[in-house]
Amino acid sequence: MTTEETRSPLDRLLSPRSIAMVGASNSPTRIGGTVFANLLRAFPGEVHPVHPRDEVVQGRTAYRSVADLPEAVDMAVIAVPAPAVVDVVAACAARGVGGATVITSGFAEAGPEGRALQDRLTAVARETGIRVVGPNCIGYMNTHGGVMANFMVTVDEPLPTPGPVALVSQSGGFGSYITNKAVLAGLRLGWFVSTGNESDVNVANVLRHLVERPEVGVLLSFAETLRDPEVFVETARRAAELDKPLVLLKAGRSEEAARAAMSHTASIVGSARVLDAVCQQYGVFVASTMEELLDLGTIFQDGRRARGDRVVVMTSSGGAGVLLADEAGLAGLSVPVLPEEEQRSLAEKMPVPFYGSTVNPVDTTAQTTAMPEAYRKVLFSVAGSPSADMVAAVTWARPGPANDAIVEMYGGTDKPVAILSTAWSEQFQEAGVPTYTDPRRAMVALAALVRQSRRGPLPETGFTPDTERIGRVRALLSEAGAGTETTLLESTGKRILAEYGVPVTPEEQVTSVEAAIEAAERIGGAVALKVMSYQLPHKSDAGAIRLGLRGADAVRAGYLEMVDEVAAREPDARVEGVLVQRMVPARMELTCGVNRDPVFGPMVALGLGGVLVEVLSEAVLLRPPFDAGTARAALRDLLGGRLVTGRRGLSDAEQDAIAQVMTGLGDLALELPEVAEVDVNPLRVADDAVYAADALIVVGHG
């Protein structure tokens, strides 16, 4: 077995040792000419042009077809008309080529005919095992391997400096825009991959591949959709395990943007709230803007980590120092007052007379511009302060002793540093000093670094379906309306919830007023009466509920009044019975449920319940499987933590019980794909216990 045969097709595609280009051209104005010239710039291996007529392309011997190539190359770049692409890729597969980068457009983005052509391309990839990037992509760049298989960089532009940052973009054009902006901002891009229409290889596949590369330390991504959510989640888990930050900028968050994404790459766009929740659950940073994407790449690329959240600010401008301190606080960072001993030491290094501050921010005032040695001493003292986990400094983007001192300080400390500058500085870029032009952006970046520094590997959440439980629950589902109803009765829904460890209220279903009185006596205390009918999923709208009934007379009167009202308001509703239910106390009401996202699948939601669910509309979301610890952590995020820390917040026992409800619903969603929706509202909380007081389960999807 040869070395090439032992390498995976994706590795051969993205880290090739030999390359062919079908559609290579001698014309510098054609894409085939630009890409081929780029391929020749830094690649250490063989590069073979394929051209039907020219014998030589840019000084290299050309071959008439893929079949004529002298070797089974690792990767082929394809830039031929769309109708010819599928046959060329098939020929590459037959020749033993590992992968193809298809730059050609005119596929799914171009309408039904292009969609059919792309489907054929996908079929060839699946049938033969060749991996395909594109079509309709700008290509990719692997500077560590000298691979410039793209046309985003022209031949007269310098090659980017190889570094630890990898950028993966579904969009080629905007990916090129981000790449150029990243280079200007000082990011050291080792990788750029555009995936285009993703007929085979998608953003998640590339991220999963790159997270294992030793030269990659930071993963940045721009996507319109995530076609392989399981791989994305697996990548996030692996990134957390390897301490490699993963940052996502997602397009298509609004309905208007979703329509644009559909027309651009024929994407399926899921809920933005779900994406944000999944990213938070698995430790992925979500950038709200392109600038934030690059800002996080800037702060992460040197690999430094913060020991805490304390930042010490040094400035010669009082106003800039105050702004930095403000933004630090808003970002969740601490700006501690320096101890008196440190302040005295700093004051001794300041110019005399001194009109600034040693408190933090440390304000050296403009005097230090004329006394560079004093500035340097203060800067190094700030960086070495035991009170500083991170350092922020203000400067002007011009050569001079102050910036020389900043570069020296940065190289002499392992603490994270963020410099607020009037502009990007070539001196700082060459030294790798993280530079920002706005106080907020600098502090948001440092706050993200603190979050990354505090993270560890994600908890293991393996899931094994309980086949016996699945059998029992499916028997209940088949009994419901003879298997024809999609919305279950509350009583059936609660029996199902109980199978998953969800505490339900003591209750009995009856068919007569006398049976209701007897059930109420057995249950004890105040009871609620509810009409059970498949035609009345929302009982209160039809008067099908009575609350707080005590004693036989109240139960009899409530039962008869309720049945009469339902008959008058909903004469076509078929009554299956009446549920007699204990009224459990509630200091607080929550709602917990399951819904299915078109991209990420089942999601468990927890929010404020009862009448507040639609008023406040605040919820936390988790993707199963997850453990109780993850559920409790999500619960602490609701209402900014006030649900747990408030004066009448949830007790430990109540938090445990709610976490059990959440994990139980997660298990239900994984075991029963035919359940489309679960709504437990209200979930009544009091006295260290929780109870599901109502439940709506909808079936029909699987």
Side-chain angles (χ1 to χ4, degrees):
M1 182 176 290
T2 66
T3 303
E4 294 310 312
E5 289 173 330
T6 61
R7 298 174 69 209
S8 72
L10 194 57
D11 193 34
R12 294 180 66 194
L13 169 63
L14 296 176
S15 297
R17 296 170 183 165
S18 55
I19 298 174
M21 180 167 183
V22 186
S25 171
N26 282 303
S27 172
T29 61
R30 299 177 65 88
I31 287 179
T34 300
V35 175
F36 193 68
N38 268 340
L39 288 171
L40 297 177
R41 295 179 71 182
F43 186 65
E46 291 294 328
V47 181
H48 306 293
V50 176
H51 196 283
R53 295 178 302 278
D54 293 350
E55 294 184 358
V56 177
V57 175
Q58 297 189 34
R60 299 294 178 103
T61 300
Y63 298 88
R64 292 287 178 266
S65 68
V66 171
D68 294 329
L69 287 170
E71 59 179 326
V73 299
D74 282 332
M75 190 270 288
V77 181
I78 298 173
V80 298
V85 166
V86 175
D87 289 341
V88 171
V89 172
C92 287
R95 185 66 182 87
V97 176
T101 301
V102 181
I103 290 171
T104 307
S105 58
F107 288 82
E109 83 284 358
E113 291 185 7
R115 174 78 260 179
L117 200 59
Q118 185 166 313
D119 289 343
R120 287 177 54 205
L121 181 60
T122 299
V124 167
R126 289 176 179 171
E127 291 166 5
T128 65
I130 190 172
R131 301 311 304 266
V132 177
V133 168
N136 187 34
C137 73
I138 202 170
Y140 77 88
M141 170 184 77
N142 169 3
T143 59
H144 296 281
V147 185
M148 293 295 293
N150 65 81
F151 59 93
M152 72 174 178
V153 177
T154 59
V155 187
D156 57 343
E157 291 179 286
L159 292 172
T161 302
V165 182
L167 171 63
V168 184
S169 171
Q170 191 174 353
S171 168
F174 191 60
S176 173
Y177 182 94
I178 298 175
T179 298
N180 280 272
K181 192 77 179 286
V183 172
L184 289 173
L187 267 74
R188 299 187 299 282
L189 280 178
W191 287 83
F192 165 74
V193 182
S194 72
T195 57
N197 288 11
E198 301 185 337
S199 63
D200 173 39
V201 175
N202 57 44
V203 165
N205 299 150
V206 177
L207 290 172
R208 182 65 186 90
H209 177 76
L210 293 180
V211 75
E212 302 290 350
R213 300 287 303 184
E215 75 276 9
V216 173
V218 184
L219 296 155
L220 308 180
S221 181
F222 170 73
E224 295 165 29
T225 191
L226 290 168
R227 284 191 171 83
D228 212 333
E230 294 296 340
V231 174
F232 179 74
V233 168
E234 183 185 346
T235 303
R237 283 190 167 280
R238 187 64 175 144
E241 184 178 341
L242 297 173
D243 190 21
K244 295 184 178 184
L246 172 56
V247 188
L248 175 68
L249 174 62
K250 174 69 166 61
R253 300 180 70 87
S254 66
E255 291 184 9
E256 293 79 7
R259 288 196 298 271
M262 285 292 293
S263 64
H264 187 199
T265 56
S267 301
I268 297 175
V269 182
S271 161
R273 288 189 67 187
V274 168
L275 174 69
D276 290 347
V278 169
C279 288
Q280 180 172 347
Q281 181 176 344
Y282 293 104
V284 178
F285 293 91
V286 178
S288 57
T289 65
M290 180 193 69
E291 301 289 0
E292 187 178 0
L293 179 77
L294 300 182
D295 287 348
L296 297 189
T298 298
I299 204 66
F300 287 138
Q301 72 175 342
D302 63 11
R304 300 186 184 195
R305 296 293 179 261
R307 298 180 181 89
D309 63 2
R310 302 170 302 168
V311 57
V312 175
V313 177
M314 178 170 165
T315 178
S316 58
S317 163
V322 171
L323 275 176
L324 283 167
D326 282 346
E327 296 299 343
L330 291 172
L333 300 176
S334 169
V335 185
V337 173
L338 294 179
E340 290 186 7
E341 183 179 343
E342 287 191 43
Q343 290 194 48
R344 284 195 298 270
S345 176
L346 287 172
E348 291 172 358
K349 300 176 177 67
M350 295 288 187
V352 179
F354 175 56
Y355 303 105
S357 172
T358 58
V359 174
N360 189 23
V362 176
D363 182 5
T364 64
T365 76
Q367 296 178 83
T368 53
T369 58
M371 302 179 67
E373 187 57 28
Y375 180 89
R376 181 181 178 280
K377 288 180 179 179
V378 173
L379 180 64
F380 273 71
S381 293
V382 165
S385 168
S387 303
D389 299 312
M390 299 166 289
V391 178
V394 181
T395 191
W396 275 248
R398 54 176 177 248
N403 287 353
D404 293 343
I406 288 173
V407 170
E408 186 182 355
M409 177 274 295
Y410 176 75
T413 182
D414 62 353
K415 295 178 181 179
V417 173
I419 300 302
L420 177 63
S421 176
T422 53
W424 287 322
S425 157
E426 184 176 344
Q427 180 184 14
F428 288 164
Q429 289 179 353
E430 290 178 355
V433 180
T435 307
Y436 301 90
T437 56
D438 177 80
R440 175 172 297 178
R441 291 169 59 184
M443 290 305 168
V444 166
L446 285 177
L449 181 61
V450 170
R451 293 197 300 275
Q452 179 67 26
S453 303
R454 289 173 171 171
R455 285 175 178 162
L458 299 170
E460 292 297 329
T461 53
F463 177 74
T464 302
D466 184 333
T467 54
E468 292 185 2
R469 178 171 62 189
I470 293 172
R472 293 193 301 270
V473 173
R474 284 192 168 143
L476 288 173
L477 291 176
S478 65
E479 292 172 10
T484 61
E485 299 293 342
T486 57
T487 301
L488 305 185
L489 297 177
E490 176 186 336
S491 53
T492 305
K494 285 181 176 175
R495 290 173 67 189
I496 292 173
L497 292 179
E499 288 280 355
Y500 288 91
V502 177
V504 298
T505 50
E507 56 194 36
E508 297 180 28
Q509 186 167 324
V510 300
T511 55
S512 70
V513 65
E514 295 304 324
I517 293 171
E518 294 173 2
E521 290 177 352
R522 286 190 295 271
I523 291 171
V527 298
L529 301 180
K530 300 177 181 179
V531 170
M532 296 292 100
S533 171
Y534 289 108
Q535 288 76 46
L536 302 176
H538 302 290
K539 294 175 282 293
S540 59
D541 294 343
I545 186 169
R546 293 294 186 273
L547 302 174
L549 305 178
R550 288 181 179 272
D553 292 342
V555 172
R556 178 179 285 105
Y559 186 104
L560 296 174
E561 289 173 4
M562 180 177 66
V563 170
D564 288 345
E565 183 175 355
V566 169
R569 295 174 65 173
E570 298 288 344
D572 296 330
R574 186 179 70 254
V575 176
E576 307 291 337
V578 170
L579 191 66
V580 184
Q581 174 187 37
R582 179 184 295 169
M583 296 284 294
V584 294
R587 185 181 81 261
M588 184 185 303
E589 288 189 336
L590 301 174
T591 180
C592 193
V594 173
N595 218 314
R596 295 188 185 271
D597 181 74
V599 173
F600 285 101
M603 297 293 298
V604 175
L606 179 79
L608 299 182
V611 296
L612 294 178
V613 62
E614 294 180 359
V615 176
L616 295 181
S617 187
E618 180 168 344
V620 290
L621 302 171
L622 288 176
R623 183 176 190 259
F626 52 85
D627 61 12
T630 301
R632 283 194 59 156
L635 182 60
R636 289 194 294 270
D637 288 336
L638 198 60
L639 288 179
R642 295 189 301 279
L643 207 62
V644 173
T645 60
R647 186 171 60 88
R648 300 188 66 194
L650 297 168
S651 68
D652 286 342
E654 289 165 350
Q655 292 178 55
D656 288 340
I658 294 166
Q660 172 58 43
V661 172
M662 296 172 71
T663 56
L665 290 185
D667 292 348
L668 183 157
L670 293 173
E671 289 185 351
L672 302 171
E674 63 267 40
V675 171
E677 181 182 347
V678 179
D679 184 14
V680 181
N681 183 27
L683 189 66
R684 295 172 70 86
V685 182
D687 303 327
D688 290 343
V690 300
Y691 289 97
D694 199 354
L696 177 70
I697 295 181
V698 179
V699 297
H701 297 268

